[in-house]
Amino acid sequence: VDPATIWQTVETAYVVVMLACLWLPSTLCQTSSPQHEQLKFRLAGYPRKHNEGRVEVFYSGEWGTICDDDFTLSNAHVLCRHLGFVEALSWSHSAKYGAGTGKIWLDNVMCSGSETSIDKCLSRGWGNSDCTHEEDAGVICKDERLPGFLDSNIIESKVRLKGGAKAGEGRVEVLKGSEWGTVCDDLWNLQSASVVCRELGFGTAKEALTGARMGQGMGPIHMNEVQCVGDEKSLLKCPHKSITAENCKHMEDASVKCNIPYMGFEKTIRLTGGRTQLEGRVELLAPNASSLEQWGLICGDGWTSREAMVACRQLGLGHASSGLSETWYWDSSNVTEMVMSGVKCRGDEMTLSDCQHHHIVSCKRAGAQFSAGVICSDSASDLVLNAPLVEKSVYIEDRPLHLLYCAAEENCLSKSAVRANWPYGHRRLLRFSSEIHNVGRADFRPRLGRHSWVWHECHRHYHSMDIFTHYDLLDLNGTKVADGHKASFCLEDTDCHEGISKRYECANFGEQGITVGCWDTYRHDIDCQWIDITDVKPGNYILQVVLNPNFEVAESDFTNNAMRCNCKYDGNRIWLHKCHIGKS
């Protein structure tokens, strides 16, 4: 047979198959994306966690969704690997995470599960679908990352909300470069707020708030006079002005309240016994041994303000003011059975059932009097460390032992100091200044009243909290090589933003706290404002500072309580660089 005839036959067959892919809806084809096209994936929708959501794929310059027709767990495995997770646990149909917008890029996808890319699976081809967005598919991935996975194929949102009591509300913050900043409220309106809400997977905006109603931010103000038409894909695409510090202050930070779907989370939780509707013993509606639903209690073991945050959010009552592990004084209900124990939350979950908890109830302290309780509030404090100041102020001091007796009494030195030849010799200290801002909407106050504060004779001051801050030096694997801590001997307003008055001062046994819009400064030359690095060898390390580490006082956001810096120590000098908020 003539080779030219063979090639013409193959060419004709290929054209027929491609035409079938385009014109016959029931035909499945393997349609790879162009070689130059890098597919990108993200999870979107509401409500969801970081490892679940509506699957969205970026193709041909546009984000779109995948239809749930013929969808299987094998498809989900391939998509979860695209997103950097080891495998899928489950998948969802019928737009469980809300309906997407734009293109429906893939339909009738059929994977074996071993494919390296979704475009290696059978489907109708890119952009060929008879679905609506009410059929958008979602995945639930196993919360375990692929080793060495780089997030280069995931586009994270460059807009976030901070300081809100409920999902879909908060201060608007945008990411430019590697730095988060706020938006000035000049010309801020519902059109711009709606762009933010849709970008984050919510509906349109219910309110566009001005005047830092969700608390003042920190750092730069990235945008001013934002004028969205309303159909932009991102707030950063809207016309706006870049501003200088003279144009706008953080007291003008913009915020939003989004329209969100009603989920009915509050139907399975209630409070009993409290003095007001904002407090009480937490009771959950859960199935009993007969598979019937009944109200039960939560074991108070390990219950902190983080778990209380989630309970108050589920109840629709805003923030947590306190998380209580004993509620014997609220004994007004005939409910006595424990239905949940071992609850451990990050603080951003939508319901308590989303938190880690025991599969089988196990409570060390039996009895309803030791069940969990909460006090909710419509506002909360929020502490954030000034990271650039730590970087600027760091230095090393070799301090003589005879000046460290009080510090030793308060356990501010490493264990090897016990074996030192007191009062001769010295300890090597890594010192720096801390400036702790309250960017929340309520004053930060010690949990204990002044009647419970502890007097320290050596330093002649009261400690209002056992531990206020942890200072850790970690190796590059995250193992602690040295540590320190700062007991909150004196919480007070060192300084405040313009127009805000100081309220707390430690002198003369005064009230302690940090006012909203103010900050407390622990100077580098104060005792215990250090890490004892006498036994640390030269090398590269990570300096970590964690505020309110035991979650002793409730805050609206615990994710910004940690700060990390890259640290280089050559045996004589120390350098910090890339100091940033967060543990990553």
Side-chain angles (χ1 to χ4, degrees):
V1 180
D2 182 21
T5 305
I6 296 174
W7 178 247
Q8 188 174 14
T9 305
V10 171
E11 206 172 35
T12 303
Y14 178 77
V15 170
V16 170
V17 170
M18 291 310 294
L19 288 173
C21 287
L22 291 172
W23 291 332
L24 299 178
S26 60
T27 304
L28 296 179
C29 310
Q30 183 176 312
T31 309
S32 294
S33 56
Q35 289 297 312
H36 65 274
E37 180 85 51
Q38 184 197 9
L39 297 177
K40 300 178 177 70
F41 298 84
R42 68 184 181 190
L43 294 173
Y46 170 87
R48 67 181 187 86
K49 302 178 189 174
H50 67 282
N51 59 324
E52 65 176 281
R54 180 177 65 246
V55 180
E56 298 191 349
V57 56
F58 189 75
Y59 174 79
S60 191
E62 187 176 350
W63 283 103
T65 62
I66 298 175
C67 182
D68 61 15
D69 290 352
D70 295 327
F71 207 89
T72 64
L73 187 61
S74 296
N75 296 357
H77 284 316
V78 176
L79 289 164
C80 284
R81 288 198 296 271
H82 272 303
L83 292 157
F85 298 98
V86 293
E87 62 180 354
L89 295 176
S90 183
W91 63 277
S92 64
H93 58 84
S94 306
K96 175 186 173 182
Y97 297 99
T101 57
K103 295 274 192 181
I104 299 176
W105 276 125
L106 293 171
D107 189 5
N108 296 109
V109 181
M110 295 176 67
C111 305
S112 68
S114 61
E115 291 86 352
T116 56
S117 175
I118 197 72
D119 64 9
K120 299 288 192 290
C121 303
L122 294 175
S123 73
R124 288 179 177 229
W126 290 98
N128 186 13
S129 170
D130 61 357
C131 297
T132 69
H133 281 296
E134 296 301 320
E135 300 168 83
D136 284 341
V139 294
I140 302 168
C141 303
K142 185 176 181 180
D143 194 5
E144 182 181 335
R145 303 296 285 176
L146 287 169
F149 180 82
L150 300 176
D151 286 351
S152 57
N153 69 332
I154 301 176
I155 297 180
E156 296 287 353
S157 174
K158 293 188 176 181
V159 176
R160 68 184 184 187
L161 300 180
K162 286 288 186 180
K166 301 175 183 176
E169 67 177 42
R171 178 177 62 252
V172 180
E173 296 188 354
V174 296
L175 182 66
K176 286 195 174 181
S178 60
E179 195 168 16
W180 287 97
T182 61
V183 176
C184 191
D185 63 11
D186 294 348
L187 303 183
W188 186 247
N189 59 22
L190 271 176
Q191 282 91 339
S192 299
S194 290
V195 171
V196 171
C197 292
R198 283 197 299 274
E199 185 174 359
L200 293 171
F202 301 105
T204 54
K206 184 164 53 177
E207 290 183 71
L209 304 171
T210 59
R213 287 271 300 279
M214 295 290 179
Q216 296 186 27
M218 284 183 67
I221 301 172
H222 284 320
M223 302 174 76
N224 188 25
E225 296 187 15
V226 179
Q227 293 181 282
C228 301
V229 175
D231 59 0
E232 291 87 352
K233 300 290 185 185
S234 170
L235 185 70
L236 292 167
K237 300 292 185 185
C238 298
H240 66 275
K241 291 182 179 179
S242 299
I243 63 171
T244 62
E246 290 73 35
N247 298 123
C248 205
K249 307 291 184 186
H250 281 299
M251 64 182 68
E252 301 169 76
D253 283 342
S255 50
V256 298
K257 287 187 178 180
C258 302
N259 285 306
I260 61 174
Y262 174 67
M263 303 303 295
F265 291 140
E266 78 284 358
K267 291 181 178 179
T268 58
I269 187 172
R270 69 185 184 189
L271 299 181
T272 59
R275 298 160 295 181
T276 71
Q277 293 181 335
L278 294 174
E279 65 180 29
R281 179 180 287 170
V282 181
E283 296 183 359
L284 293 180
L285 190 61
N288 60 17
S290 306
S291 297
L292 300 173
E293 289 191 323
Q294 67 175 36
W295 290 99
L297 305 172
I298 301 173
C299 178
D301 293 343
W303 184 263
T304 71
S305 55
R306 282 204 296 184
E307 289 71 46
M309 283 173 72
V310 178
C312 290
R313 183 180 296 118
Q314 185 175 351
L315 285 156
L317 297 178
H319 299 287
S321 173
S322 297
L324 307 163
S325 58
E326 295 183 17
T327 52
W328 49 269
Y329 40 84
W330 283 335
D331 192 12
S332 65
S333 171
N334 58 2
V335 174
T336 57
E337 185 180 347
M338 297 283 183
V339 295
M340 185 179 282
S341 64
V343 185
K344 189 174 183 181
C345 305
R346 295 185 309 273
D348 59 356
E349 295 89 347
M350 297 302 302
T351 69
L352 287 171
S353 59
D354 293 331
C355 301
Q356 293 180 33
H357 57 274
H358 294 155
H359 291 297
I360 299 174
V361 176
S362 173
C363 195
K364 293 177 183 176
R365 299 186 300 171
Q369 65 268 38
F370 299 117
S371 60
V374 296
I375 301 175
C376 302
S377 170
D378 61 357
S379 60
S381 61
D382 185 15
L383 298 186
V384 183
L385 190 69
N386 181 347
L389 178 62
V390 175
E391 194 168 326
K392 290 177 192 172
S393 60
V394 69
Y395 67 99
I396 283 176
E397 179 191 9
D398 289 329
R399 191 159 181 80
L401 281 172
H402 71 268
L403 298 176
L404 291 170
Y405 279 103
C406 283
E409 184 183 299
E410 295 191 20
N411 297 316
C412 296
L413 301 175
S414 61
K415 292 178 181 178
S416 64
V418 176
R419 302 188 298 273
N421 186 24
W422 293 79
Y424 308 105
H426 62 270
R427 305 297 293 179
R428 175 156 289 186
L429 308 175
L430 187 164
R431 309 198 71 152
F432 54 90
S433 294
S434 292
E435 188 178 274
I436 299 104
H437 290 246
N438 182 2
V439 299
R441 295 167 57 204
D443 294 353
F444 184 92
R445 299 295 309 279
R447 184 174 59 86
L448 300 175
R450 65 169 77 193
H451 61 281
S452 300
W453 297 351
V454 178
W455 174 256
H456 280 251
E457 180 63 32
C458 197
H459 279 128
R460 299 196 64 78
H461 56 237
Y462 282 95
H463 284 200
S464 56
M465 294 172 68
D466 289 336
I467 298 292
F468 178 56
T469 315
H470 276 168
Y471 306 139
D472 299 318
L473 194 66
L474 314 173
D475 65 19
L476 298 184
N477 293 322
T479 304
K480 190 185 300 184
V481 296
D483 59 30
H485 69 273
K486 188 64 190 171
S488 174
F489 73 90
C490 176
L491 274 172
E492 66 178 1
D493 296 326
T494 306
D495 211 344
C496 301
H497 288 300
E498 183 181 341
I500 298 175
S501 301
K502 299 178 184 179
R503 297 184 59 191
Y504 302 104
E505 188 176 5
C506 296
N508 302 316
F509 197 32
E511 288 294 342
Q512 294 192 21
I514 307 175
T515 303
V516 174
C518 299
W519 54 92
D520 189 3
T521 303
Y522 291 115
R523 286 169 47 93
H524 58 83
D525 53 0
I526 295 175
D527 256 10
C528 299
Q529 183 60 29
W530 63 54
I531 298 176
D532 183 349
I533 61 168
T534 306
D535 308 315
V536 174
K537 296 176 181 177
N540 293 314
Y541 298 95
I542 298 166
L543 172 66
Q544 177 176 279
V545 178
V546 184
L547 306 173
N548 192 15
N550 300 331
F551 317 111
E552 208 174 312
V553 177
E555 297 183 49
S556 62
D557 184 1
F558 285 114
T559 65
N560 56 12
N561 280 32
M563 183 221 69
R564 280 192 168 188
C565 304
N566 293 349
C567 177
K568 180 176 176 62
Y569 173 48
D570 70 358
N572 295 302
R573 294 169 296 175
I574 203 146
W575 296 267
L576 296 184
H577 59 285
K578 294 186 179 177
C579 291
H580 61 279
I581 301 301
K583 285 191 173 184
S584 57

